[in-house]
Amino acid sequence: MTLAAIADGIQKNLVGRSFEGSLKFDCGDDGVIVLAENQATTQDRDTDCTIRISQDNLTKLLTGKLNPMTGVALGKLKVSGNMGVAMKLGQLLG
């Protein structure tokens, strides 16, 4: 699955919901997905919070196959910036 397809799926989950702040999934050389202003896009920009994660682990995270806390503990994802924004992500995607 491409990052653009993942971003489209996230965008569908945003319909009728509100996400305060901005968050970036940084997948390294594969690219980024940015959640900001109730939009999911692959256009890079500065955000309140950045989650560094592989594209494969991002797919697992979004499909519930990777627990966020386990991912952090195992080093599969790294969170920098405003942790409060990262915590809101679970409510939005869950």
Side-chain angles (χ1 to χ4, degrees):
M1 184 179 290
T2 67
L3 284 182
I6 294 170
D8 287 343
I10 293 171
Q11 183 65 48
K12 289 176 184 166
N13 280 337
L14 288 172
V15 173
R17 297 183 182 193
S18 175
F19 184 73
E20 305 253 342
S22 58
L23 181 137
K24 179 188 324 185
F25 290 108
D26 183 346
C27 298
D29 291 339
D30 291 328
V32 299
I33 294 177
V34 173
L35 302 176
E37 300 162 1
N38 281 346
Q39 297 289 316
T41 179
T42 56
Q43 298 297 314
D44 199 3
R45 65 178 255 190
D46 289 334
T47 57
D48 299 328
C49 179
T50 299
I51 299 176
R52 286 177 179 74
I53 187 170
S54 70
Q55 184 175 339
D56 184 50
N57 284 329
L58 175 59
T59 300
K60 290 177 183 175
L61 179 72
L62 296 175
T63 58
K65 295 179 181 171
L66 175 63
N67 178 290
M69 299 311 276
T70 302
V72 169
L74 295 176
K76 293 185 178 202
L77 62 101
K78 293 181 176 27
V79 180
S80 59
N82 186 335
M83 189 65 88
V85 174
M87 300 303 262
K88 292 177 192 174
L89 182 65
Q91 298 169 349
L92 179 70
L93 299 176

